[in-house]
Amino acid sequence: MSRLVAFAAIQGAYNIVSKAEGKFKKAMDKYGPNQPLEFPNTAYYLPVIYSILGIKVEKLADAEPVLQRCWKLLPAHIKERIYTPYLGSMLDAGMAAILAEEVVEAIRYVEDPDFYFPAEDPDLEAGKIWLGAADDAIMRKRGIEFVDGSAPGFATIVGAAPNPEIAKAIAEEYQRKSLYVFMCANQGGTTFAEQLIEAGVQIGWSTRLVPFGPDISAAVFALGFANRAAMSFGGVEPGDYRKNLLYNKNRIFAFVNALGEVNAEWAANAAGAVNWGFPTIADTDIPEILPTGVCTYEHVVSSVPYDQICAKSIEVRGLKVTITEVPVPVAYGPAFEGERVRKDDVYLECGGGKTPCVELVRIADMDKVEDGKVEVIGPDIKDVQPGSRLPLAVVVEVAGRRMQEDYEPILERQIHHLVNYAQGVMHIGQRDIAWYRIGKAAVEKGFTLEHIGKILHAKFHQDFGAIFDKCQVKIYTDEAKVKEWVPVAQKVYKERDERIEGMTDETTETYYSCILCQSFAPTHVCVVSPERTGLCGAYNWLDCKASHEINPTGPNQPVNKGECLDPKLGNWKGVNEFVEMASRGAVKSVNFYSVVYDPMTTCGCCECIAAVLPMCNGIMTVNREYMGMTPCGMKFTTLAGTIGGGLVTPGFVGHAKYNITQRKFIVGDGGIKRMVWMPKMLKEEIRERLIRRGEEVGVPNLVDMIATEEQGVTEDEILPFLQEVGHPALSMEPILG
């Protein structure tokens, strides 16, 4: 390898550590040693430091031993003119630089708490571009995408492209390949993120184009994301740096694109990234490190043309990307799912309460379906003016020997995601509350309503081809025809809901496993029954059944529940045997219906976490979106970090939002009448179902008896309210008997 690149990296690391120590001393003088030091709303302290060194940085004084460690890691400056093996020294220097920069960014949060905008997406009107460290809500939501394959990796782009047009082309190429793009550092007075804004590209977590910060030190937020993935999803213990680095090399497919002149501090960061197996691919002529070793292939590759940098980066990282080709004239991929079509950019709008809109997937006879046929009955986009509204009915007919009625709603639910993957097309809701917006830019590229049908035909075949043979799509925009379809669809919806509602755990002999999350919680085994939806909220019993039909060797396997050992708690011999096998002996018995006695294991993807409140003789639950304190003394992020690694934790259990109002929810502990607290936002979201469940259990006003943060966030605060309203939990037998 080149002596020059090692020299630059080591010199840059010395610069970074020196600056960090200077900032630290000034902060100590100004704020004192007990000044809290953190990345807001994260459970992993300063995640790179915590994962590599095992040091919990909670206050300013805790950073001092970290900086001392940085100085020890720095190697001697390179002076010899003869060949020496520089790679080890360069890696140590890079690690020192990364650790020091994390201290710098934490101090920035103290000195300028409004510098970073704490949200998923920037507020451009307020001039808030930079998002800083991802909080745990974002981490949990986005991290799962690196497990299920919907996000195969991420590119960290340092610097800026020669112009906004090239920046846009690079970003959209990565989006088409479903990669995230993390952006930091400036070049020539601008940044890659600002170039995208100038080019009219939406940035933020929702489009996978994430602007971390304007300085090179913001690269630690990308590495912090990767390290938190290892700890949260991979079961890596803090301080186990070797296992952490190997996990990232083998599981988190990331790389760096250095755009523009590379200075010594950039070189130090590139050297730091190599520790994790993340190579650097640059557009300028910098010294290369071509021999393999730490990274899968080359460590540093230079002089890559802009129209080749995406493909070259993916090749060098050893990333295998499956690109789904869909016959539409706009870019297509999961990265566009969060894109919004603003009011002024709308060419055509359908539904959303403004016009009738309905979606329906149904089985048809084989001889009645012409595979690939897409019809538009009524005016298409070319027949209307910009800003128009049309009624819409999207009717998909599928036929096949293995197709069943139970699969209809599963396919139907995919319409939301699949249509949203088209750039310039926005889809919200489903069934008869769907809302479509098609942007002017998409129409200019030739997008029509017919392309919605082409998307559904192509993707249904690609994703669900195992369960059907033919698919045709009819898109109605004629108002009279749409109004005919609305009651037809609503009748089908009602029948479906009644069909799944009518299923019970007692009358179903086969449940289904879900071990998708074992890649990050090795002992977690989710078992899904008709009355216990998967804790992530994404899978119910029918979904798992369909998934098994589609992929018989996949994560959703049939589980014969076998002999019932405890009907009250929900314990079956066959389920226990499967859980013990699937957890490799770590878990021997779980109860479906209890939070107190051997509850099911929890992974980091749960929508909610329930916990026992002994003083109130009941339970609380908190959803992922709620950021505040709860009566059990922990926020959601702390709860998830504590029990979310695939553990059986008596008194705590992860669950789905829908599960709260299923009849078997913690029935072994007394059921829904034990619910004494939940965030107001969650209660309002499920209010109608809570009312129905309250009526079923003989407490019609139960929904109004459940405390929220408005009554308090400690047991002492909410107990008087529960006593005042006469909450049924207070008169039940002790929950911890």
Side-chain angles (χ1 to χ4, degrees):
M1 61 171 285
S2 169
R3 173 180 178 273
L4 292 176
V5 70
F7 175 85
I10 293 171
Q11 183 60 54
Y14 269 93
N15 295 345
I16 290 168
V17 175
S18 295
K19 290 179 182 179
E21 187 169 66
K23 278 188 170 291
F24 169 74
K25 289 180 178 178
K26 288 182 180 179
M28 285 285 281
D29 291 340
K30 184 175 181 179
Y31 302 106
N34 293 320
Q35 167 65 43
L37 202 63
E38 63 176 357
F39 292 158
N41 298 319
T42 65
Y44 293 105
Y45 308 97
L46 302 188
V48 180
I49 292 169
Y50 188 44
S51 62
I52 298 300
L53 302 180
I55 296 175
K56 297 179 180 179
V57 176
E58 298 178 271
K59 58 184 185 296
L60 196 55
D62 296 336
E64 187 168 14
V66 175
L67 293 173
Q68 291 173 351
R69 188 67 174 270
C70 291
W71 283 112
K72 290 179 181 178
L73 279 170
L74 289 175
H77 288 285
I78 293 176
K79 299 178 181 179
E80 298 86 356
R81 294 186 176 276
I82 59 173
Y83 173 84
T84 58
Y86 300 118
L87 184 57
S89 298
M90 190 185 78
L91 293 175
D92 287 345
M95 182 62 77
I98 297 298
L99 296 172
E101 284 179 330
E102 195 166 45
V103 173
V104 169
E105 286 294 343
I107 292 174
R108 189 201 293 268
Y109 271 103
V110 175
E111 295 176 335
D112 191 356
D114 296 326
F115 186 84
Y116 292 120
F117 188 59
E120 283 204 52
D121 298 319
D123 185 347
L124 300 183
E125 292 184 1
K128 297 290 187 179
I129 297 176
W130 309 111
L131 301 181
D135 66 26
D136 280 350
I138 294 173
M139 180 68 202
R140 298 286 183 181
K141 179 179 178 180
R142 303 290 172 174
I144 185 62
E145 295 173 353
F146 290 86
V147 177
D148 65 18
S150 57
F154 67 80
T156 297
I157 295 185
V158 177
N163 57 58
E165 291 72 28
I166 291 177
K168 179 181 179 181
I170 292 172
E172 290 186 348
E173 179 67 15
Y174 282 134
Q175 284 181 307
R176 281 191 288 271
K177 291 174 170 57
S178 303
L179 276 76
Y180 276 83
V181 176
F182 296 155
M183 299 172 279
C184 65
N186 64 82
Q187 184 69 252
T190 189
T191 63
F192 195 83
E194 290 168 311
Q195 289 180 318
L196 293 182
I197 294 170
E198 185 178 344
V201 177
Q202 278 186 240
I203 63 173
W205 284 99
S206 58
T207 58
R208 302 193 179 190
L209 304 174
V210 185
F212 275 141
D215 302 317
I216 185 61
S217 56
V220 298
F221 297 137
L223 286 170
F225 185 91
N227 280 262
R228 286 158 69 189
M231 291 186 289
S232 179
F233 303 153
V236 178
E237 292 295 324
D240 190 348
Y241 66 88
R242 185 178 185 278
K243 190 174 181 180
N244 188 298
L245 297 178
L246 285 173
Y247 179 92
N248 275 278
K249 176 184 176 180
N250 297 325
R251 300 298 300 276
I252 305 296
F253 291 92
F255 51 86
V256 179
N257 282 161
L259 303 183
E261 182 182 351
V262 175
N263 59 36
E265 293 187 8
W266 283 27
N269 277 265
V274 169
N275 282 281
W276 282 266
F278 303 163
T280 293
I281 297 86
D283 62 342
T284 56
D285 184 14
I286 62 173
E288 295 185 310
I289 307 177
L290 299 180
T292 59
V294 182
C295 295
T296 304
Y297 298 116
E298 296 86 357
H299 299 75
V300 177
V301 178
S302 69
S303 302
V304 180
Y306 299 111
D307 61 350
Q308 300 175 26
I309 198 164
C310 298
K312 186 65 175 178
S313 298
I314 290 169
E315 173 198 336
V316 171
R317 182 60 183 93
L319 174 60
K320 304 299 181 185
V321 177
T322 301
I323 303 173
T324 302
E325 295 295 341
V326 177
V328 292
V330 296
Y332 187 87
F336 300 106
E337 183 179 6
E339 184 183 28
R340 292 290 180 263
V341 177
R342 309 297 179 187
K343 184 177 180 181
D344 293 341
D345 298 326
V346 174
Y347 192 99
L348 176 66
E349 187 171 30
C350 305
K354 300 172 179 65
T355 69
C357 186
V358 69
E359 299 169 335
L360 182 66
V361 173
R362 63 179 189 171
I363 297 176
D365 293 335
M366 291 283 282
D367 58 356
K368 299 290 180 62
V369 176
E370 182 182 337
D371 190 46
K373 183 179 181 181
V374 178
E375 293 181 88
V376 179
I377 298 98
D380 202 337
I381 288 176
K382 62 180 177 10
D383 304 313
V384 300
Q385 297 299 311
S388 297
R389 292 173 178 168
L390 286 174
L392 183 68
V394 178
V395 180
V396 184
E397 295 175 307
V398 292
R401 297 177 185 86
R402 300 179 64 188
M403 187 63 193
Q404 303 175 26
E405 281 190 1
D406 288 346
Y407 301 160
E408 290 176 345
I410 296 161
L411 294 176
E412 194 173 282
R413 209 159 23 242
Q414 308 307 310
I415 294 176
H416 168 72
H417 302 285
L418 302 181
V419 171
N420 254 330
Y421 289 173
Q423 186 181 28
V425 181
M426 186 183 82
H427 183 284
I428 295 174
Q430 57 185 6
R431 288 189 167 185
D432 55 350
I433 58 171
W435 181 17
Y436 288 73
R437 275 185 170 179
I438 299 172
K440 295 173 183 176
V443 175
E444 289 173 1
K445 293 179 180 179
F447 192 89
T448 68
L449 291 176
E450 182 183 6
H451 288 112
I452 293 174
K454 291 184 176 181
I455 289 170
L456 298 180
H457 171 260
K459 289 300 293 177
F460 276 5
H461 266 296
Q462 290 166 0
D463 297 345
F464 299 94
I467 60 173
F468 72 88
D469 302 309
K470 294 182 179 181
C471 171
Q472 67 182 20
V473 184
K474 295 177 181 177
I475 297 173
Y476 297 87
T477 58
D478 178 90
E479 186 169 3
K481 294 287 187 183
V482 173
K483 288 182 176 179
E484 289 178 9
W485 274 105
V486 170
V488 172
Q490 289 174 337
K491 182 174 182 292
V492 172
Y493 303 152
K494 186 173 183 294
E495 291 170 351
R496 287 177 185 167
D497 290 340
E498 291 173 349
R499 186 165 71 239
I500 187 66
E501 284 293 329
M503 296 180 66
T504 67
D505 287 358
E506 290 85 358
T507 59
T508 305
E509 293 304 314
T510 301
Y511 297 162
Y512 285 92
S513 69
C514 184
I515 55 171
L516 179 66
C517 299
Q518 276 201 346
S519 53
F520 54 83
T523 61
H524 174 58
V525 184
C526 193
V527 182
V528 179
S529 70
E531 295 183 273
R532 194 185 193 283
T533 299
L535 56 80
C536 66
Y539 287 88
N540 63 27
W541 186 89
L542 289 174
D543 296 327
C544 292
K545 182 175 183 243
S547 173
H548 178 67
E549 292 284 340
I550 295 165
N551 183 9
T553 61
N556 304 118
Q557 294 296 308
V559 179
N560 188 332
K561 68 180 185 183
E563 178 187 354
C564 182
L565 303 179
D566 191 324
K568 180 182 177 182
L569 297 178
N571 191 282
W572 294 272
K573 182 179 180 181
V575 172
N576 289 338
E577 289 172 350
F578 180 89
V579 169
E580 183 174 7
M581 179 272 295
S583 69
R584 300 168 185 83
V587 181
K588 300 186 184 302
S589 177
V590 294
N591 293 316
F592 274 44
Y593 310 143
S594 179
V595 65
V596 178
Y597 304 104
D598 290 340
M600 194 175 291
T601 58
T602 297
C603 75
C605 300
C606 55
E607 285 189 308
C608 304
I609 297 176
V612 172
L613 299 180
M615 184 186 300
C616 299
N617 202 35
I619 69 159
M620 56 146 276
T621 191
V622 57
N623 56 311
R624 181 181 301 281
E625 297 86 350
Y626 176 72
M627 305 302 297
M629 184 54 68
T630 73
C632 75
M634 291 180 277
K635 296 181 180 181
F636 181 92
T637 51
T638 306
L639 284 166
T642 303
I643 72 168
L647 305 175
V648 173
T649 312
F652 303 86
V653 71
H655 61 89
K657 293 178 182 178
Y658 184 75
N659 188 220
I660 297 170
T661 53
Q662 290 182 291
R663 292 181 180 87
K664 290 296 196 297
F665 180 66
I666 64 161
V667 71
D669 306 318
I672 192 66
K673 289 191 287 186
R674 289 285 191 186
M675 184 64 70
V676 298
W677 188 94
M678 67 174 63
K680 182 180 179 181
M681 63 192 300
L682 176 60
K683 185 160 78 167
E684 292 307 312
E685 182 178 342
I686 64 172
R687 172 175 282 274
E688 294 304 316
R689 300 203 305 273
L690 275 173
I691 291 172
R692 290 196 294 272
R693 282 294 293 132
E695 292 171 347
E696 289 176 2
V697 299
V699 189
N701 61 334
L702 177 64
V703 65
D704 296 318
M705 294 181 171
I706 300 172
T708 71
E709 68 273 21
E710 292 183 340
Q711 283 74 49
V713 292
T714 68
E715 288 197 76
D716 286 328
E717 290 173 348
I718 67 171
L719 184 56
F721 169 80
L722 301 175
Q723 292 170 334
E724 179 183 343
V725 298
H727 195 289
L730 300 180
S731 59
M732 298 172 71
E733 62 183 21
I735 191 169
L736 298 177

